């Protein structure tokens, strides 16, 4: 082969391989970050409903269906709530029986394919919980953000921020607890959520840009009379809370952070998301590079927001070793380095963002102790 021909062939090969790598990286980053809000958490198996009866449901036996606590189960057009495992009820070796609390949407029939979710409720605070609320519009960077405002007599508000795989219905789990303590609760949608502006690139940014919608929510709360705010976030919502506490022009109004299953290492979470959505292992490094190039994700900004030396307000952390999306070790390190400000409550056998579901009494007692001096 002549030198010129060989060079051209080599250039063509490199170009083709480069284009293939770009395409592969785009595919992998889409799998990790391009999933619409409210889609099930990746990695959780679909379970078959084998039978239902008065106050009970029989599901496929798996680590997921054996989890302690209370969860939603969902499928298209279906939402129900299941309670603890009923060990003394007869069942086959490949099934598990749980208490069936209620069916909120659709019909729960034999053969239905369902997934567990930490969201227990469907609807608004009023339709789901019987609590009065106000539908409000928050002026955001990209447009109007719809939100629910559950009123309370106190001047300290909680702004509740859902994360990956859930919607703003997820924080409804804790609204009754906060309402009993007369704490106003603001639950905003943010970019990418139903009813909110779409992200310009159509991708989630793991809190790196979404936090600016939290800044808008803080400003709204202050305009409506909040003297102080406590940011309570799950997963990427926790990362958003950290970003807002560090970067918001209203950060002096933030008096505490409650971080449930926080995303403190975006590269690790992105890899875990992509792997859980069946991206082949060789493509995971490409997913990270492509996501950074497409979204402008900057790990240093998250590191700065979660820098133990930069923390200025009390932090309550809920996290567990069963979290396969956001590693526990970062939360543990944060608590070890700032024991004066950070309290870590670990929860075993709970998946990502489901710490309350696994042990609601312990969760709410820890939250009560944390909030009391801040209200």
């Amino acid at each position: 082969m002549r030198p010129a021909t060989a060079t051209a062939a080599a250039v063509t090969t490199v170009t083709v391989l480069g284009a293939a790598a770009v395409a592969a990286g785009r595919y992998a980053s889409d799998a990790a970050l391009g999933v619409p809000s409210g889609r099930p958490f990746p990695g959780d198996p679909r379970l078959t409903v084998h039978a239902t009866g008065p106050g009970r449901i029989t599901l496929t036996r798996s680590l997921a269906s054996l989890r302690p606590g209370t969860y939603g189960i969902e499928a298209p057009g279906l939402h129900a709530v299941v309670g603890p495992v009923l060990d003394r009820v007869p069942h086959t070796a490949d099934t598990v029986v749980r208490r069936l609390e209620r069916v909120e949407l659709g019909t729960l029939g034999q053969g239905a394919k369902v997934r567990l979710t930490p969201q227990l409720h469907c609807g608004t605070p009023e339709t789901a919980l019987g609590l009065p609320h106000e539908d409000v519009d928050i002026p955001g960077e990209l447009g109007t953000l719809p939100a629910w405002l559950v009123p309370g007599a106190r001047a300290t508000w909680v702004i509740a921020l859902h994360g990956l795989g859930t919607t703003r219905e997820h924080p409804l789990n804790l609204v009754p607890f906060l309402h009993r303590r007369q704490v106003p609760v603001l639950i905003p949608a943010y970019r990418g959520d139903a009813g909110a502006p779409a992200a310009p690139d159509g991708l989630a940014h793991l809190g790196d840009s979404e936090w600016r919608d939290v800044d808008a929510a803080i400003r709204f709360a202050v305009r409506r009379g909040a003297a102080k705010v406590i940011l309570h976030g799950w997963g990427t919502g926790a990362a958003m809370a950290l970003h807002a506490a560090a970067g918001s022009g209203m950060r002096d109004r933030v008096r505490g952070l409650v971080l449930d299953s926080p995303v403190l290492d975006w590269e690790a979470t992105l890899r875990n998301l992509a792997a859980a959505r069946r991206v082949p292992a060789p493509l995971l490094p490409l997913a990270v590079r492509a996501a950074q190039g497409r979204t402008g994700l900057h790990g240093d900004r998250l590191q700065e927001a979660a820098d133990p030396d930069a923390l200025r307000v009390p932090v309550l952390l809920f996290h567990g070793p069963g979290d396969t999306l956001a590693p526990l070790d970062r939360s543990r390190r944060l608590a070890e380095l700032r024991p004066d400000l950070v309290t870590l409550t670990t929860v075993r056998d709970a998946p990502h963002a489901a710490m309350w579901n696994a042990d609601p009494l312990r969760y709410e007692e820890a939250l009560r102790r944390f909030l009391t001096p801040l209200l």
Side-chain angles (χ1 to χ4, degrees), residues 75-311:
L78 171 67
H79 187 92
V81 177
V82 298
V85 173
L86 302 176
D87 290 321
R88 298 183 180 181
V89 175
H91 57 85
T92 61
D94 60 348
T95 62
V96 60
V97 180
R98 300 187 73 113
R99 190 168 68 217
L100 178 60
E101 304 284 359
R102 62 185 182 272
V103 178
E104 294 196 331
L105 178 67
T107 302
L108 192 58
Q110 184 177 0
K113 304 292 185 181
V114 299
R115 294 182 189 267
L116 294 180
T117 171
Q119 290 190 181
L120 296 194
H121 303 286
C122 289
T124 69
E126 188 164 358
T127 61
L129 303 171
L131 296 177
H133 78 282
E134 183 182 350
D135 289 305
V136 298
D137 292 326
I138 298 173
E141 179 184 52
L142 301 180
T144 300
L145 307 169
W148 295 319
L149 173 56
V150 182
R154 296 187 183 273
T156 300
W157 292 30
V158 167
I159 299 178
L161 308 163
H162 74 87
L164 292 169
T166 60
T167 69
R168 58 183 169 135
E169 292 169 319
H170 183 199
L172 293 181
N173 292 357
L174 277 169
V175 166
F177 167 86
L178 295 168
H179 186 71
R180 288 193 297 271
R181 285 152 183 82
Q182 303 181 55
V183 178
V185 186
L186 182 64
I187 309 175
Y190 54 85
R191 62 191 67 188
D193 284 346
D201 56 15
L203 298 174
H205 288 199
L206 302 182
D208 198 59
S209 62
E210 294 91 345
W211 77 267
R212 293 193 287 273
D213 294 338
V214 183
D215 175 62
I218 297 171
R219 293 175 186 276
F220 175 89
V222 170
R223 287 196 300 271
R224 289 292 298 265
K228 300 177 288 185
V229 299
I230 295 166
L231 303 178
H232 189 149
W234 289 259
T236 53
M240 292 157 57
L242 277 166
H243 278 294
S248 170
M250 305 294 287
R251 58 185 174 273
D252 61 311
R253 299 297 185 108
V254 178
R255 298 302 173 87
L257 302 174
V258 182
L259 309 178
D260 186 316
S261 313
V263 170
L264 301 178
D265 180 344
W266 75 264
E267 288 193 22
T269 295
L270 192 144
R271 285 172 175 267
N272 291 338
L273 280 169
R277 292 189 169 120
R278 303 184 185 280
V279 171
L283 297 186
L284 296 181
L286 293 177
V288 172
R289 290 200 294 271
Q292 187 167 22
R294 297 173 69 191
T295 65
L297 278 165
H298 294 285
D300 55 344
R301 287 204 292 252
L302 181 56
Q303 289 176 9
E304 290 170 5
D307 182 355
D309 292 332
L311 291 178

Side-chain angles (χ1 to χ4, degrees), residues 1-58:
M1 184 179 293
R2 295 180 179 179
T5 304
T7 299
V11 169
T12 299
T13 300
V14 170
T15 301
V16 170
L17 291 175
V22 169
R26 189 179 184 90
Y27 156 76
S29 61
D30 276 344
L33 302 178
V35 178
S37 173
R39 285 281 298 275
F41 285 115
D44 270 356
R46 288 203 306 167
L47 307 171
T48 300
V49 176
H50 293 271
T52 60
R56 66 183 61 176
I57 181 172
T58 304

Side-chain angles (χ1 to χ4, degrees), residues 262 264 317 319 327-336 342 344:
L264 301 178
L317 275 168
H319 216 151
L328 169 64
D329 59 338
R330 292 299 182 100
S331 291
R332 197 184 297 280
R333 179 174 177 272
L334 189 62
E336 290 172 350
V342 180
L344 173 62

Side-chain angles (χ1 to χ4, degrees), residues 64-80:
S65 62
L66 286 168
R67 287 172 185 156
T70 302
Y71 298 85
I73 57 172
E74 63 184 11
L78 171 67
H79 187 92

